[in-house]
Amino acid sequence: MSASRKLKVTWKDVPTRTITAGGVEFAYRELGADNSGTPVVFLIHLAAVLDNWDPRVVDGFAAKHRVITFDNRGVGASSGAPAASMEEMAKDAITFIKAMGLDQVDLFGFSMGGMIAQEIVLMEPRLVRRMIITGTGPAGGEGISKVARVTYLDMIRGWLTFQDPKQFLFFTRTPAGIRAGKEFLQRLKERSDNRDKEITVAALQAQLKALRRWGAKKPADLSKVPHPVLVANGDSDRMVPSRNTRDLAQRLPNSELIIYPDSGHGAVFQFHADFVPKALAFLSR
């Protein structure tokens, strides 16, 4: 037993692989391949690469499911020109999922990834079984078009205080939020070898353009999405104001809502010990 435990691959040491589809070489990582059931595809947030996923969340999901994470086109180690709309990112994700030989998946989208998930389920409803979307909102949601401004301001704030901007963007400024942010940022450093490439300025600008477009877009009719959806956020999200999460849950006819106290955009990372079991229970139905 002890030998098998030593051989168990975790997010800290899982290899990065590539697959080519639609003229793009997608970089991806996969865990829990021996687990049965519907695979879970993770959809990443603004400015993020593979190494921005919380190891506790990835390993937690992978304990029960096959988990696949990937870099968007033109981001991290994936090739190509970065997409500048959620629709393009959704099409790329569909291309990747199909190239992996998957007929149906569950989606876990965080922030921008939750917006991409909404586009995927509208474009290819049969491809999706269940969705978990956190720290996100519907197209045209209140304040979403201002994400770029909030992001730039907190990047400057981080630079001036010698801190990672995610400490301000993802977490509250209460003692609990500050502590959770520091712990999260430490977890992101657990993988020391074979780390992903950082996002480029051009890719970040393309994503910010996509967010502005999403914020200005006419809301989609989500009442025609029959899929079970778990919606989660903190009660004090500055990036995608929390009222959007409640609005999103109301627009989706088969949704469940979790709002965590004294937490912001990164609530599911701050409360990973509570969130992961609830997510697994949701996916097991």
Side-chain angles (χ1 to χ4, degrees):
M1 182 68 73
S2 60
S4 64
R5 279 180 182 161
K6 286 179 183 176
L7 292 171
K8 184 181 178 185
V9 178
T10 65
W11 186 242
K12 183 179 176 180
D13 47 27
V14 63
T16 304
R17 298 188 170 93
T18 60
I19 188 170
T20 301
V24 177
E25 188 177 73
F26 289 99
Y28 73 96
R29 294 177 190 159
E30 183 175 0
L31 280 172
D34 293 334
N35 290 326
S36 59
T38 308
V40 185
V41 175
F42 280 36
L43 301 165
I44 199 73
H45 64 84
L46 171 72
V49 296
L50 292 170
D51 293 323
N52 289 107
W53 282 115
D54 190 330
R56 299 300 174 275
V57 173
V58 184
D59 287 337
F61 274 64
K64 299 288 184 182
H65 296 268
R66 179 185 177 191
V67 169
I68 301 166
T69 68
F70 71 102
D71 278 332
N72 294 333
R73 169 165 54 96
V75 174
S78 288
S79 71
S85 73
M86 298 303 166
E87 294 87 348
E88 287 179 63
M89 293 184 214
K91 288 174 184 174
D92 288 340
I94 291 167
T95 297
F96 169 78
I97 289 166
K98 291 183 176 180
M100 292 291 291
L102 305 174
D103 297 322
Q104 192 175 54
V105 297
D106 291 332
L107 298 175
F108 171 41
F110 170 59
S111 188
M112 186 181 76
M115 300 169 191
I116 298 168
Q118 292 173 59
E119 291 290 349
I120 292 172
V121 80
L122 290 169
M123 289 178 184
E124 295 257 5
R126 293 183 182 178
L127 188 62
V128 181
R129 187 186 71 103
R130 286 175 172 257
M131 295 196 303
I132 300 173
I133 47 180
T134 72
T136 195
E142 191 176 342
I144 292 177
S145 61
K146 298 177 184 175
V147 169
R149 181 173 176 273
V150 174
T151 300
Y152 280 132
L153 285 174
D154 278 355
M155 286 174 71
I156 294 168
R157 195 176 179 188
W159 180 71
L160 290 173
T161 59
F162 304 100
Q163 294 185 70
D164 190 305
K166 287 188 282 295
Q167 182 75 62
F168 304 106
L169 289 166
F170 282 17
F171 301 93
T172 58
R173 301 309 294 159
T174 66
I178 292 168
R179 183 174 63 251
K182 289 178 179 177
E183 291 171 352
F184 168 73
L185 291 169
Q186 280 301 118
R187 294 196 297 273
L188 295 189
K189 297 176 183 176
E190 288 177 359
R191 183 185 178 102
S192 56
D193 295 328
N194 302 309
R195 288 180 65 86
D196 202 357
K197 296 178 182 177
E198 293 291 328
I199 191 167
T200 64
V201 172
L204 173 60
Q205 289 175 337
Q207 290 183 352
L208 288 170
K209 182 183 287 185
L211 278 163
R212 284 193 293 270
R213 287 174 169 172
W214 177 266
K217 185 179 175 181
K218 182 181 176 182
D221 180 9
L222 297 178
S223 67
K224 60 185 181 183
V225 178
H227 306 64
V229 187
L230 179 61
V231 183
N233 203 354
D235 62 357
S236 302
D237 188 343
R238 291 179 60 249
M239 287 196 79
V240 181
S242 302
R243 55 188 172 273
N244 287 289
T245 305
R246 296 185 177 91
D247 179 28
L248 182 59
Q250 290 177 344
R251 290 171 183 267
L252 291 160
N254 194 7
S255 69
E256 300 172 36
L257 176 64
I258 301 173
I259 298 290
Y260 286 106
D262 187 17
S263 57
H265 197 60
V268 295
F269 305 134
Q270 180 172 342
F271 289 93
H272 62 84
D274 181 84
F275 169 69
V276 170
K278 285 179 177 172
L280 292 177
F282 171 77
L283 293 175
S284 70
R285 291 181 215 153

